[in-house]
Amino acid sequence: LSHQHITSTLERFIDAHQLPHLLFYGPPGTGKTSTIMALAARLYGTSYRSHVLELNASDDRGIDVVRGQIKAFASTRNMFSTQTDTFKLVILDEADAMTQAAQAALRRVMEQYTRNVRFCIICNYVNKIIPAIQSRCTRFRFSPLDTAQIARRVDTVIDAEQCQVEPAAKDAILHLAKGDMRRALNILQACHAAGGVIDEDAVYNCTG
């Protein structure tokens, strides 16, 4: 949903088989991780696991991880690749939690292994990413989703899961979501788990 300009640009990159380093930034729940996962699935299909290294930088954010895991993955060509020029993909989620030293080391790894690895750096706050990394990436800003777009997805889930939701409760969920799709679905799931008809009071009681 949403971000058609981003997805159409990425599709052109895939068709041309020329992917730059990517920097996705924006508030939580706007589809940054979902987008790169969908892109990786399109690029690699069944050989996804051998081509993609996923790291959550809020867990693995030290300089040792950059020098160790990423460097080991980046420096090896894929022996099962059917195309000689197939590049691997490193996905660094929550990269704004990385230390300055780790980001400096990452910049060096990006320089060294550009021939066979592409990086997708995902963060909420782009100003926490050092300029040297920003300048090496094509930047995409994921803005909060429109209420109407979230409403359409919430309606789909309500129908599929056969939830009983009053119109006022749905409005409350959309109001509380503030453009964050994940939050909207989490609130709906929590209210549904409580059982019975979901009314406006149930939504506000559930979310405190």
Side-chain angles (χ1 to χ4, degrees):
L1 280 175
S2 189
H3 315 306
Q4 276 80 15
H5 61 293
I6 296 175
T7 50
S8 62
T9 304
L10 293 175
E11 280 177 348
R12 284 201 294 276
F13 285 148
I14 293 168
D15 293 341
H17 210 75
Q18 288 190 321
L19 195 70
H21 296 306
L22 302 169
L23 174 60
F24 292 174
Y25 67 101
T30 51
K32 300 184 295 294
T33 307
S34 300
T35 299
I36 194 62
M37 293 309 181
L39 181 142
R42 273 280 296 275
L43 269 177
Y44 305 121
T46 52
S47 62
Y48 174 93
R49 287 279 156 234
S50 59
H51 283 81
V52 179
L53 174 68
E54 292 173 56
L55 290 173
N56 190 314
S58 62
D59 297 332
D60 310 315
R61 58 183 167 184
I63 197 164
D64 297 338
V65 168
V66 173
R67 290 202 175 130
Q69 268 181 283
I70 297 177
K71 211 165 178 181
F73 178 78
S75 58
T76 53
R77 302 278 308 167
N78 200 312
M79 61 192 290
F80 300 112
S81 173
T82 50
Q83 290 171 285
T84 51
D85 61 346
T86 298
F87 43 78
K88 294 168 152 190
L89 182 64
V90 175
I91 300 169
L92 269 176
D93 215 338
E94 298 186 36
D96 41 8
M98 287 177 82
T99 60
Q100 294 274 314
Q103 288 191 43
L106 173 63
R107 182 203 68 121
R108 187 79 188 99
V109 173
M110 286 172 80
E111 270 177 6
Q112 282 178 299
Y113 301 111
T114 290
R115 255 190 73 229
N116 56 330
V117 178
R118 296 294 176 275
F119 286 83
C120 178
I121 293 161
I122 302 173
C123 64
N124 294 337
Y125 305 102
V126 73
N127 59 335
K128 292 188 178 175
I129 304 296
I130 60 172
I133 287 180
Q134 288 191 42
S135 71
R136 285 168 172 75
C137 298
T138 302
R139 291 167 38 155
F140 292 102
R141 180 175 184 270
F142 285 70
S143 47
L145 278 71
D146 291 341
T147 303
Q149 291 171 325
I150 295 182
R152 283 205 302 277
R153 175 59 68 196
V154 167
D155 284 339
T156 306
V157 174
I158 287 169
D159 291 343
E161 301 295 333
Q162 297 171 342
C163 310
Q164 295 172 286
V165 183
E166 292 183 356
K170 190 181 131 185
D171 291 343
I173 290 170
L174 298 175
H175 170 69
L176 290 166
K178 295 186 173 66
D180 180 336
M181 177 72 81
R182 191 190 299 124
R183 188 188 293 171
L185 295 178
N186 282 340
I187 293 169
L188 177 63
Q189 184 168 7
C191 294
H192 180 59
V197 177
I198 301 169
D199 58 15
E200 190 177 11
D201 285 347
V203 173
Y204 285 115
N205 287 338
C206 193
T207 57

